[in-house]
């Protein structure tokens, strides 16, 4: 549901997003509503909301928060640039066995290596697929094809890595190859020279914001699977950082994050003119963030195409949940290996 005016609250695929300074979220009976200056921007039945995401200076009433807690609906707070500020959800003590086994396997070097190999190989494979799909429209098609071939070779090298540090080294090399080729499939006028979280170009701003949306999607799926988002295998656990979500995001970055950025810029739905000056650098305007949310959730709702072959009508959002469940199965020792999603 698209709001009117310069701000937006939307429901697409069940999450309820509110973007824009001055908006307030309240409960009205069995519904959650988003208001701006007393005017209704959007509403949805609480029974149809999976999570609430507030981006920027958005208020929420205590009554609304109580309603969310009573229905096990997470509340996610993001900064204007997409940086995670916090997450509210009801306390729970379920899934003790899965979390205990997760911690035990985290402490086993061979287990960390096994899962890290799978995650990074999946990421590189999906990067290769994206470049092959976009090569013909690139400014330098031959360079993009060569980069795709180089990624295929690096994917093979993952199996030869003897520890997680070596896996991360190959991943870093693959990221360099991919980023250079990715810039060639973009409009040169967008000013993208490489991935930099603090850069002021529209591509990095879009990537930062989409990354926040993907991160919260994966965290919700991990929690639903009974896993601890803070106990990871590839990334080093750190205070306040959901590093297992970062692990699981790797295979999805080309599929959901980079493809969303390419769609938004290719359609000129978001342009450099959609950047505004903020206290910590350029950020996307409320209108632009609304379009990002809409496009990202449309992507999540699209039919998943890849391997393991999803059942008919399974969306990418469904497949993320299925991958988190598959990880839980591996953690519990009920499957011999974890197989990342292979895009096609």
């Amino acid at each position: 549901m698209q709001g009117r005016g310069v701000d937006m609250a939307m429901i697409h695929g069940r999450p309820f997003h509110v973007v824009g300074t001055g908006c307030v979220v309240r409960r009205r009976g069995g519904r959650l509503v988003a208001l701006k200056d007393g005017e209704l921007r959007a509403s949805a039945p609480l029974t149809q909301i999976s999570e609430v995401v507030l981006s920027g200076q958005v208020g929420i009433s205590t009554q609304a928060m109580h309603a969310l807690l009573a229905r096990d609906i997470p509340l996610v707070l993001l900064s204007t640039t997409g940086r995670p500020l916090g997450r509210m959800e009801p306390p729970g003590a379920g899934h003790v066995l899965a979390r205990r086994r997760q911690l035990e396997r985290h402490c086993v070097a061979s287990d960390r290596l096994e899962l890290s190999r799978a995650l990074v190989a999946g990421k590189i494979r999906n990067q290769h697929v994206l470049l092959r799909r976009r090569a013909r429209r690139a400014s330098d098609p031959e360079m993009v094809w060569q980069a795709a071939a180089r990624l295929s070779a690096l994917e093979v090298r993952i199996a030869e890595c003897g520890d997680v540090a070596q896996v991360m080294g190959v991943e870093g090399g693959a990221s360099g190859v991919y980023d250079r080729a990715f810039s060639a499939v973009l409009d040169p006028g967008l000013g993208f020279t490489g991935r930099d979280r603090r850069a002021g170009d529209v591509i990095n701003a879009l990537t930062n914001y989409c990354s926040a949306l993907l991160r919260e999607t994966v965290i919700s799926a991990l929690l639903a699977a009974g896993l601890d988002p803070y106990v990871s295998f590839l990334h080093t656990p750190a205070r306040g950082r959901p590093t297992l979500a970062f692990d699981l995001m790797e295979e999805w970055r080309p599929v959901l994050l980079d493809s969303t950025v390419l769609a938004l810029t290719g359609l000129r739905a978001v342009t450099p003119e959609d950047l505004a000056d903020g206290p910590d650098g350029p950020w996307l305007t409320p209108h632009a963030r609304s379009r990002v949310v809409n496009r990202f959730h449309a992507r999540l709702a699209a039919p998943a195409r890849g391997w393991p072959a999803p059942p008919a009508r399974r969306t990418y959002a469904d497949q993320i949940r299925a991958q988190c469940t598959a990880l839980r199965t591996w953690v519990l020792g009920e499957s011999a290996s974890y197989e990342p999603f292979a895009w096609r």
Side-chain angles (χ1 to χ4, degrees):
M1 181 180 297
Q2 178 87 17
R4 302 183 298 278
V6 297
D7 301 289
M8 187 279 289
M10 60 81 67
I11 308 128
H12 196 125
R14 296 184 180 273
F16 187 88
H17 285 254
V18 183
V19 176
T21 301
C23 285
V24 178
V25 177
R26 299 185 184 279
R27 175 187 176 182
R28 284 185 179 173
R31 302 182 71 85
L32 204 65
V33 300
L35 307 168
K36 174 69 180 291
D37 297 328
E39 180 184 357
L40 181 66
R41 298 287 177 169
S43 72
L46 284 159
T47 55
Q48 295 181 15
I49 298 174
S50 62
E51 65 178 351
V52 175
V53 182
L54 308 184
S55 176
Q57 299 298 313
V58 178
I60 182 169
S61 70
T62 303
Q63 185 185 32
M65 289 191 287
H66 287 180
L68 298 181
L69 288 170
R71 291 165 177 79
D72 292 344
I73 301 173
L75 171 66
V76 177
L77 303 180
L78 303 179
S79 72
T80 309
T81 57
R83 181 172 57 86
L85 299 176
R87 183 182 181 94
M88 181 192 80
E89 55 194 324
H95 309 295
V96 173
L97 176 60
R99 293 192 174 205
R100 186 177 68 190
R101 288 291 295 135
Q102 179 184 351
L103 184 58
E104 290 171 351
R105 299 199 72 165
H106 161 81
C107 295
V108 179
S110 59
D111 286 348
R112 292 201 309 275
L113 175 60
E114 176 188 340
L115 186 58
S116 296
R117 283 172 172 170
L119 294 169
V120 173
K123 176 185 181 179
I124 295 174
R125 185 182 310 124
N126 291 339
Q127 288 175 328
H128 168 266
V129 171
L130 184 143
L131 293 183
R132 284 195 297 108
R133 288 183 172 189
R134 296 280 178 165
R136 285 190 299 177
R137 288 172 282 178
S139 58
D140 187 347
E142 183 60 28
M143 185 271 280
V144 175
W145 281 113
Q146 290 176 359
R150 178 61 178 153
L151 288 175
S152 292
L154 289 171
E155 180 189 345
V156 173
R157 281 186 55 191
I158 290 294
E160 303 169 1
C161 293
D163 55 37
V164 175
Q166 292 181 16
V167 173
M168 292 295 283
V170 175
E171 190 275 337
S175 292
V177 171
Y178 177 75
D179 286 348
R180 287 188 291 274
F182 188 74
S183 65
V185 305
L186 293 166
D187 181 346
L190 296 174
F192 179 74
T193 58
R195 182 72 180 111
D196 183 349
R197 294 181 184 278
R198 295 179 176 83
D201 64 278
V202 70
I203 296 299
N204 275 293
L206 280 169
T207 301
N208 290 343
Y209 202 78
C210 287
S211 182
L213 298 176
L214 177 59
R215 178 179 57 244
E216 296 306 324
T217 301
V218 173
I219 288 175
S220 293
L222 286 170
L223 291 170
L227 297 173
D228 186 338
Y230 296 90
V231 178
S232 52
F233 295 81
L234 173 63
H235 296 87
T236 301
R239 180 183 176 89
R241 291 171 55 82
T243 46
L244 184 63
F246 299 159
D247 286 1
L248 267 289
M249 285 170 63
E250 295 295 350
E251 65 198 81
W252 293 108
R253 288 183 181 276
V255 183
L256 297 174
L257 195 162
D258 295 338
S259 62
T260 298
V261 171
L262 288 170
L264 287 164
T265 55
L267 296 170
R268 295 193 62 79
V270 178
T271 69
E273 287 68 40
D274 289 306
L275 292 176
D277 290 331
D280 52 355
W283 59 29
L284 296 170
T285 63
H287 268 315
R289 280 179 276 147
S290 298
R291 290 191 286 271
V292 174
V293 170
N294 280 325
R295 172 59 67 169
F296 180 79
H297 283 284
R299 183 68 178 152
L300 282 178
R305 293 185 172 87
W307 185 264
R313 299 182 181 178
R314 177 179 283 181
T315 66
Y316 283 110
D318 296 331
Q319 190 62 37
I320 288 176
R321 290 188 286 269
Q323 293 300 120
C324 290
T325 300
L327 179 61
R328 171 194 167 94
T329 301
W330 175 82
V331 163
L332 291 172
E334 297 171 359
S335 65
S337 62
Y338 171 79
E339 187 171 3
F341 180 75
W343 198 17
R344 64 171 176 81

